[in-house]
Amino acid sequence: MSTQAPAMVDYQKPLDDVPYAEQRAARAAHHGEVKKRLESIAGPDRVSDSPDILARYSSDLSLEQAGRPAFVVRPQDTARVCELVRFANSLKMPVIALSSGTHLYGAGLARLGGMVLDLSEWKNIHAVSQRNRSVRIAPGVTYDQLQDALEPQGLRALIPLLPRRDQSVLSAHLEAQPMLIPEFNYSEPVYTAEIVLASGEIFRTGAAAVAPPDQTANDMVGPWGPGLDWNRLLTRSQGTLGVITWANIMAEPLPLRQKIYFTPAPAIEPLLGFTSRVQKKWLGYECFILNRANLACILARSPQEIDALQQSLPAFVQVFCIGGLARFPDERIAWQEADFLETSQECGLTPRTVLAEFPRAARFFEKNLHRCFPGEVYWKDARRGASADIFFITTMNRVPLFIEEMQQQAALAGYNFQDIGIYVQPIENGRAAHLEFSLPYNPADERGCTRMRGLHEAASRALFAQGALFTRAYGTWTQLAHGCNAAQQQTARLIKELLDPNNIMNPGRLGL
Amino acid sequence: MSLPNGAYEALANALGAENVCDDPAVTSGYSYMWLAYATHAQSGRYRPAAVALPGSTQDVQTIILLANRYGFNYIPVGTNLFPPNMPTRPDTIIIDPKRMNRILEIDTESMYAVVEPYVTYAQLQAETMQKGLTLTVCEGGAQCSVIANNMFQGMGGTGHKFGYNRGILGCDWVLPNGELLKIGSRGNARGDWFWGDCAGLNLKGLLRGDSGHCGGLGMVTAMAVKLFPYPGPKAFPVKGANPDFSAEFPADRFKVNLIKFPNREQLIDAMYEIGHAEIGVAVHEEPASMVLAGESPSVEHFWEHWPEFKKKWVNVLSVTLLGFSSARQVAYEQKVLDAIVSDTGGEYITEDSELWSCAACNLGEQFRTGGSNRLFRIAGDFFVMGGFGFDSLDQSLKMSKEYMWPLILDGIEKGHLAPDDVGNDWLNSYQLGHFAETEPLIYFEHDLAAGGAFMNGYVGTIIEAVKRKMTSSWPLGPMNYITGPAMCNYHELVKKIKSALDPRLTSNPGFPVPPEPPQA
Ligand SMILES: Cc1cc2nc3c(=O)[nH]c(=O)nc-3n(C[C@H](O)[C@H](O)[C@H](O)COP(=O)(O)OP(=O)(O)OC[C@H]3O[C@@H](n4cnc5c(N)ncnc54)[C@H](O)[C@@H]3O)c2cc1C
């Protein structure tokens, strides 16, 4: 037994001898001082703490817990970002950088308060190099804006499936969203980037490290180093290591002509086998599989049309696009088409250039494969107003097992499995697959939201137990993943502490 | 050179006496290094205190825990080709994974293989080819460890299509504190191997960047590496014996083209066009010395033929086409290549010419390399005068011309380097020409003076690059103190990471960055 006497407590003496009114005044004064300093750095019209603006940043389209920032700052340039971060560091104030207009998975919510740095107005496309197939972009550059700039130069950016119009290209790349083209050589499409570290210092990755863009003598496309692999550390780091102020990314040759095939099937298995074979033959560009629920949401002209359309569509469809580049475009399409069709025969499938059940699909994808979703209501929101997504990486051959698990989880929760969108995106020529379930729900229905939260969490847990690899670790997925990889989390903490000793960069994300 | 009291016994007890050795007859074998700053003249001076042969991940953990307990250093190696493997401090043991030479799995569906550290490219590729898969074999030679090379360079003949520094999937990595860190999908609920990224910070980023940590952050004990489709024969189709051999692949699926250009600028233009057209699996500028060394049966043969050969073999690009899908692919790509060659002013070296016969093994070399070993024969030592600095194709040429070749010519003039003044490099396109690197090959005597001159030249290329704000040759260990201050002080961050993960600096102590700058 300890011989130490417990500390004496003087119950008479108030712990808090500063009057409450004074405390409140001091708090307000502090807030005012911080605001003043932020304004002096960023400019008075660039700092906001008005309740309606803060409220806008307090929640997003996810089911994650809300988090209200103390300030929203819209800095104009990198020098100011550095100063803001230095100042935040001196106060241990969290810094949450945002680049997109709409936020989806809770990663940009200020769980511990602090300052949101909204970079979505940074719309500069700094430089396009046709020769090196690169484009250097600011964080706020969006897909349609970028494609408009690249297409005249015979280039295109890599793009996820029909993103939102305000999706930042830079975040899509840094979050490693799956791109529609599984070509191995397009994977890891960030060449170099600039990041403001928690210290307020600027760091540049790869071949950009040697000098700022206006002084460098090189082309900034070498992605590795200096020293260690900073690009890999930064990818999917959800702003926990710093604020990325630009990235030089791959811009790929824009096909002069393209031919799109739809391969329908009553079950996913034959399409998975077919897709794997096609991918191993290194054929085509865009290649992915959608179920009828997703296709209906994408193709319906209005939300009312979705259910009827869904009934008429095949259970699963592989969308496959062949492109003809500048040299002999038709011949390129011709040989790939011949090999593609030959493979389909081996698999007993019949690709068609027109989706018989919905002929307009061909025109839609022809027009929009490289573009943001054109509809007024985003396709994932069309059915119920919002969608809770569960996505992870697995191998092509294990996709059916996860679909079965999802079906069971939906049944357990009394949720209509037919409403769940399924999207399979092969990665790196079919070495792996991104599998995404989209679960529509009505965000205005509080009880429905609670039920969805329960289903989302239970399904995530069950899928994780089956081997789902949540590489983009949002919300509870972080805890799931770290639960069985403690050394990863301990080591990640060490690295985080080195780079951000006060843990100001989006604290709490990734379990850091 | 001896270990702290008790350490040797602890190692012997843990691993078995037959798996630890401090006999100088054995340890001397680990003190030889071909690069000049520690040549054979110094053999013995850098002898390790002992060599330990682990048989499993657990054994490696034990060795590292003992190193921490008793306070000795260790260097994990693969097949031991590279300079960072030389102990430069006393109390250092080599962890030699000779017993860890198993291929644990080949997954044909998800295209990966899981290997232990002593599995070589030749060993693995022989198995994967049986299953219709291959991987990019490093040009350092197919005798290299797959794990070591993926962590250090991983630059292979077919990097134009199969990439560079993208080969690593799931890994088991024993950290300097003895903990086992599982990288990528190894950390998921099933401990899968198929993917290299995980939830949370992607610690694969610490495994390597440009030159990797060189054993300075513990030891990887198993790694899944990417495999790629391969439509060729199940056994490597070699005919003849080194150096008089050729590899005959089915002509409808494999096609080598050798193309001569009037100058390097046009050659680079062609490389760009090939990248933009997305054709080919291997695209390299091939220097004359490399080709002649590859086919010379003796040193004498090389030097006898060199004066004439170097005049004929100038600005040659080698382009290998591969029909992954069918013969149609090769036919189409050949047509595109013909158009590019015509547009950029190239001229094919025809198969009936004398030059073609010199490069007969070229196709085989792209898939399974043995060439670099033959390069040592010309003068005793060989390396590159700077290189590996990854950026664009244009940059590679600029680096080569602006500061690498002037340094080489200076070395030749001073008599340190063999007289190869042709001015072509081994310049390589990676990932469909998205990036590139160049390696100006140099040959020198196996002595300290020539080696010293090479070393100064190599460091010179780094100094010049930084001065010009260009991509630098890879800095190793202490050289990071030249590049670091010019590149966002990355060396300070790397040093911090080293001391956080390896506070006692026991894991190959001077790497990835030594704690102090070298003495002037
Ligand atoms: C002449 C020459 C030409 C070369 N050309 C090329 C080329 O074109 N392309 C290319 O890719 N490479 C090239 N290399 C580099 C060479 O192939 C690589 O260094 C390769 O790693 C050597 O394989 P190894 O098995 O001998 O590794 P080692 O030399 O034994 O090890 C290399 C480094 O990795 C560390 N290491 C080894 N195993 C482990 C492990 N399990 N865990 C942690 N650290 C470890 C070691 O400490 C060492 O620092 C060349 C080398 C030479 C000498």
Side-chain angles (χ1 to χ4, degrees):
Chain A
M1 241 175 70
S2 166
T3 53
Q4 235 176 2
M8 292 296 291
V9 178
D10 181 349
Y11 291 103
Q12 303 303 313
K13 183 172 174 278
L15 278 180
D16 186 0
D17 42 15
V18 181
Y20 180 54
E22 270 178 44
Q23 285 180 37
R24 287 192 49 163
R27 205 154 59 214
H30 175 74
H31 182 91
E33 270 165 34
V34 173
K35 187 175 177 192
K36 224 155 94 193
R37 179 78 183 107
L38 294 175
E39 285 174 343
S40 78
I41 298 170
D45 52 339
R46 307 223 140 240
V47 179
S48 177
D49 58 355
S50 79
D52 52 329
I53 296 218
L54 297 184
R56 236 193 289 148
Y57 287 85
S58 300
S59 61
D60 63 5
L61 293 190
S62 71
L63 290 160
E64 290 299 309
Q65 194 185 322
R68 192 170 186 265
F71 302 97
V72 173
V73 184
R74 296 175 296 113
Q76 279 164 303
D77 54 33
T78 305
R80 287 182 174 96
V81 171
C82 295
E83 217 178 319
L84 288 165
V85 168
R86 260 194 298 271
F87 175 58
N89 209 350
S90 71
L91 298 179
K92 298 194 178 163
M93 176 164 69
V95 176
I96 300 104
L98 299 178
S99 307
S100 291
T102 308
H103 310 290
L104 305 174
Y105 306 118
L109 298 177
R111 283 286 300 285
L112 305 183
M115 155 174 66
V116 161
L117 285 186
D118 188 340
L119 306 180
S120 59
E121 289 170 14
W122 290 28
K123 299 255 180 240
N124 248 351
I125 297 171
H126 298 291
V128 180
S129 166
Q130 200 270 343
R131 191 162 164 89
N132 288 314
R133 282 168 285 171
S134 66
V135 55
R136 193 162 67 80
I137 51 167
V141 170
T142 52
Y143 267 107
D144 284 347
Q145 178 200 352
L146 184 57
Q147 305 294 36
D148 284 344
L150 292 177
E151 281 171 10
Q153 310 225 28
L155 297 170
R156 59 167 162 180
L158 296 169
I159 188 166
L161 177 65
L162 301 165
R164 291 175 196 266
R165 284 196 202 128
D166 56 2
Q167 167 70 56
S168 146
V169 179
L170 184 140
S171 332
H173 280 68
L174 281 158
E175 279 300 284
Q177 290 190 16
M179 303 297 177
L180 293 180
I181 304 179
E183 157 64 71
F184 167 75
N185 289 294
Y186 292 2
S187 66
E188 301 194 32
V190 176
Y191 289 120
T192 51
E194 179 180 86
I195 176 169
V196 177
L197 299 172
S199 60
E201 285 164 320
I202 289 179
F203 190 83
R204 287 177 305 273
T205 67
V210 75
D214 56 339
Q215 293 165 32
T216 189
N218 67 31
D219 289 322
M220 301 190 292
V221 293
W224 299 285
L228 300 172
D229 196 337
W230 306 102
N231 279 354
R232 281 209 175 104
L233 269 179
L234 290 180
T235 305
R236 287 181 300 267
S237 64
Q238 294 182 13
T240 56
L241 298 182
V243 181
I244 315 253
T245 49
W246 55 254
N248 200 27
I249 60 170
M250 288 181 184
E252 297 306 337
L254 178 71
L256 293 190
R257 296 194 236 317
Q258 60 182 25
K259 191 155 187 185
I260 301 177
Y261 272 98
F262 300 92
T263 308
I268 197 161
E269 285 81 355
L271 287 185
L272 290 168
F274 175 44
T275 304
S276 285
R277 286 175 82 156
V278 166
Q279 284 305 318
K280 285 187 182 122
K281 292 182 173 200
W282 232 303
L283 294 172
Y285 283 127
E286 289 85 352
C287 178
F288 51 93
I289 301 171
L290 297 172
N291 75 339
R292 56 160 72 102
N294 264 346
L295 255 185
C297 289
I298 288 170
L299 296 174
R301 267 187 291 211
S302 72
Q304 293 73 32
E305 233 181 72
I306 293 176
D307 283 339
L309 179 56
Q310 182 169 335
Q311 298 307 319
S312 69
L313 290 171
F316 290 93
V317 177
Q318 181 216 57
V319 181
F320 180 76
C321 178
I322 304 174
L325 298 180
R327 291 182 187 271
F328 311 112
D330 294 324
E331 285 168 59
R332 189 173 200 268
I333 290 179
W335 82 258
Q336 296 208 7
E337 186 177 42
D339 287 7
F340 173 69
L341 293 176
E342 225 168 72
T343 314
S344 72
Q345 278 189 7
E346 288 159 18
C347 297
L349 292 164
T350 315
R352 296 178 295 202
T353 49
V354 174
L355 188 59
E357 296 81 354
F358 193 76
R360 247 193 10 243
R363 175 95 193 88
F364 177 88
F365 281 109
E366 177 72 33
K367 211 169 139 208
N368 295 307
L369 263 186
H370 310 162
R371 292 281 164 168
C372 299
F373 183 69
E376 276 312 307
V377 182
Y378 189 62
W379 61 275
K380 284 188 181 178
D381 304 337
R383 198 184 286 269
R384 300 257 154 67
S387 163
D389 299 336
I390 302 179
F391 47 83
F392 50 87
I393 306 234
T394 178
T395 51
M396 292 288 282
N397 54 357
R398 299 194 82 237
V399 165
L401 185 143
F402 287 107
I403 294 180
E404 205 181 306
E405 182 65 59
M406 188 68 237
Q407 191 164 7
Q408 280 175 24
Q409 293 299 320
L412 283 175
Y415 186 90
N416 183 7
F417 180 68
Q418 303 308 320
D419 285 354
I420 297 181
I422 301 175
Y423 163 43
V424 181
Q425 178 60 63
I427 310 175
E428 288 195 10
N429 298 87
R431 187 185 307 291
H434 163 96
L435 174 56
E436 179 161 341
F437 298 109
S438 297
L439 288 69
Y441 69 97
N442 177 0
D445 169 6
E446 226 168 273
R447 283 180 55 201
C449 286
T450 308
R451 276 203 305 274
M452 178 50 73
R453 223 174 255 125
L455 169 57
H456 191 271
E457 195 167 333
S460 297
R461 236 169 238 293
L463 296 163
F464 178 77
Q466 297 273 14
L469 181 64
F470 290 102
T471 50
R472 289 158 63 202
Y474 301 116
T476 53
W477 298 342
T478 317
Q479 279 78 43
L480 276 181
H482 290 150
C484 67
N485 199 1
Q488 147 80 25
Q489 184 60 351
Q490 281 160 11
T491 313
R493 279 224 172 93
L494 278 178
I495 303 303
K496 166 80 171 168
E497 275 163 26
L498 289 177
L499 295 173
D500 180 11
N502 289 329
N503 197 7
I504 60 161
M505 290 299 176
N506 209 0
R509 299 297 156 204
L510 302 178
L512 298 169
Chain B
M1 265 183 269
S2 63
L3 289 175
N5 283 339
Y8 189 88
E9 289 74 8
L11 282 168
N13 287 336
L15 303 178
E18 68 282 17
N19 293 318
V20 191
C21 186
D22 61 357
D23 185 335
V26 169
T27 53
S28 294
Y30 292 81
S31 71
Y32 172 85
M33 192 45 70
W34 49 271
L35 262 187
Y37 55 90
T39 61
H40 63 309
Q42 294 166 306
S43 267
R45 272 181 56 189
Y46 297 96
R47 224 161 47 206
V51 177
L53 307 178
S56 64
T57 297
Q58 251 184 339
D59 280 355
V60 171
Q61 285 182 286
T62 304
I63 295 169
I64 290 179
L65 289 171
L66 289 174
N68 286 333
R69 176 168 292 253
Y70 287 93
F72 60 86
N73 309 308
Y74 55 88
I75 303 177
V77 303
T79 64
N80 225 348
L81 186 66
F82 222 58
N85 303 354
M86 280 285 287
T88 50
R89 291 191 183 184
D91 300 341
T92 302
I93 69 160
I94 299 289
I95 307 181
D96 185 339
K98 276 193 174 59
R99 292 202 295 145
M100 298 177 73
N101 61 356
R102 287 158 293 206
I103 297 169
L104 302 178
E105 186 185 342
I106 295 176
D107 186 316
T108 51
E109 185 59 32
S110 301
M111 297 188 289
Y112 66 81
V114 184
V115 294
E116 291 187 322
Y118 205 69
V119 171
T120 65
Y121 279 110
Q123 180 189 350
L124 179 59
Q125 199 190 37
E127 299 302 326
T128 63
M129 281 182 165
Q130 296 282 331
K131 296 175 188 280
L133 294 164
T134 187
L135 73 171
T136 189
V137 172
C138 86
E139 299 277 342
Q143 83 293 339
C144 284
S145 148
V146 175
I147 289 187
N149 184 252
N150 267 281
M151 289 174 62
F152 182 73
Q153 278 196 317
M155 290 145 51
T158 45
H160 176 74
K161 188 73 173 178
F162 299 156
Y164 161 71
N165 194 0
R166 298 242 199 270
I168 302 177
L169 294 166
C171 295
D172 284 358
W173 175 6
V174 181
L175 294 173
N177 63 2
E179 286 255 12
L180 182 60
L181 173 62
K182 288 172 181 271
I183 291 289
S185 54
R186 284 295 281 158
N188 78 355
R190 283 161 37 99
D192 286 323
W193 290 102
F194 71 92
W195 203 238
D197 304 328
C198 59
L201 283 191
N202 191 354
L203 300 179
K204 194 167 89 167
L206 304 182
L207 264 186
R208 61 162 304 168
D210 36 26
S211 54
H213 66 67
C214 298
L217 297 176
M219 177 161 183
V220 170
T221 55
M223 180 185 282
V225 292
K226 291 178 186 172
L227 303 176
F228 298 88
Y230 161 75
K234 285 183 188 304
F236 200 83
V238 66
K239 272 199 176 156
N242 189 0
D244 187 14
F245 76 96
S246 65
E248 287 177 15
F249 288 85
D252 61 335
R253 292 293 192 101
F254 295 79
K255 175 93 170 72
V256 175
N257 295 271
L258 299 172
I259 310 145
K260 246 179 120 164
F261 288 88
N263 54 55
R264 293 184 82 194
E265 283 71 15
Q266 279 168 267
L267 180 149
I268 293 290
D269 284 345
M271 289 177 92
Y272 268 107
E273 288 297 316
I274 288 165
H276 288 198
E278 303 189 342
I279 61 168
V281 283
V283 182
H284 310 272
E285 178 188 28
E286 303 265 355
S289 61
M290 190 161 145
V291 173
L292 187 60
E295 74 120 27
S296 292
S298 67
V299 180
E300 290 74 19
H301 180 276
F302 178 92
W303 288 116
E304 197 181 308
H305 289 82
W306 177 243
E308 280 309 304
F309 188 79
K310 73 173 187 176
K311 284 186 214 150
K312 293 184 201 154
W313 188 283
V314 185
N315 305 327
V316 176
L317 180 68
S318 154
V319 180
T320 304
L321 308 179
L322 174 54
F324 289 97
S325 183
S326 68
R328 293 181 193 113
Q329 180 177 1
V330 179
Y332 167 79
E333 293 196 2
Q334 188 64 56
K335 185 169 178 181
V336 172
L337 185 64
D338 292 349
I340 291 172
V341 170
S342 150
D343 289 356
T344 51
E347 193 185 319
Y348 284 111
I349 294 173
T350 54
E351 290 193 24
D352 53 5
S353 71
E354 182 205 339
L355 283 186
W356 179 275
S357 65
C358 292
C361 59
N362 205 284
L363 179 51
E365 278 293 320
Q366 313 296 357
F367 284 91
R368 183 179 296 172
T369 317
S372 66
N373 299 318
R374 275 173 264 149
L375 301 180
F376 283 101
R377 293 183 310 189
I378 297 175
D381 254 347
F382 115 89
F383 205 58
V384 294
M385 186 58 97
F388 326 121
F390 276 80
D391 201 35
S392 64
L393 284 158
D394 280 340
Q395 277 298 317
S396 291
L397 181 61
K398 206 160 116 187
M399 291 188 265
S400 167
K401 282 194 146 178
E402 278 192 20
Y403 57 83
M404 290 174 178
W405 273 96
L407 284 163
I408 294 174
L409 294 176
D410 183 53
I412 294 173
E413 201 173 297
K414 290 187 175 133
H416 292 311
L417 307 179
D420 170 5
D421 54 359
V422 178
N424 286 133
D425 297 348
W426 194 54
L427 192 153
N428 306 299
S429 157
Y430 286 92
Q431 292 197 208
L432 304 177
H434 282 102
F435 16 78
E437 58 96 34
T438 195
E439 302 184 20
L441 307 187
I442 51 165
Y443 307 88
F444 46 99
E445 296 268 339
H446 204 51
D447 65 40
L448 283 175
F454 151 68
M455 214 51 215
N456 286 336
Y458 188 94
V459 171
T461 66
I462 296 178
I463 294 169
E464 287 298 321
V466 163
K467 218 190 307 177
R468 293 157 198 257
K469 301 195 189 309
M470 286 168 72
T471 311
S472 122
S473 305
W474 276 355
L476 277 181
M479 297 176 210
N480 286 286
Y481 282 93
I482 306 170
T483 43
M487 293 186 178
C488 305
N489 283 318
Y490 76 87
H491 65 306
E492 293 296 338
L493 295 180
V494 177
K495 252 167 56 180
K496 279 190 196 168
I497 289 173
K498 164 85 173 165
S499 54
L501 297 185
D502 183 18
R504 271 182 276 258
L505 307 185
T506 56
S507 184
N508 205 5
F511 293 91
V513 178
E516 303 292 338
Q519 301 303 317

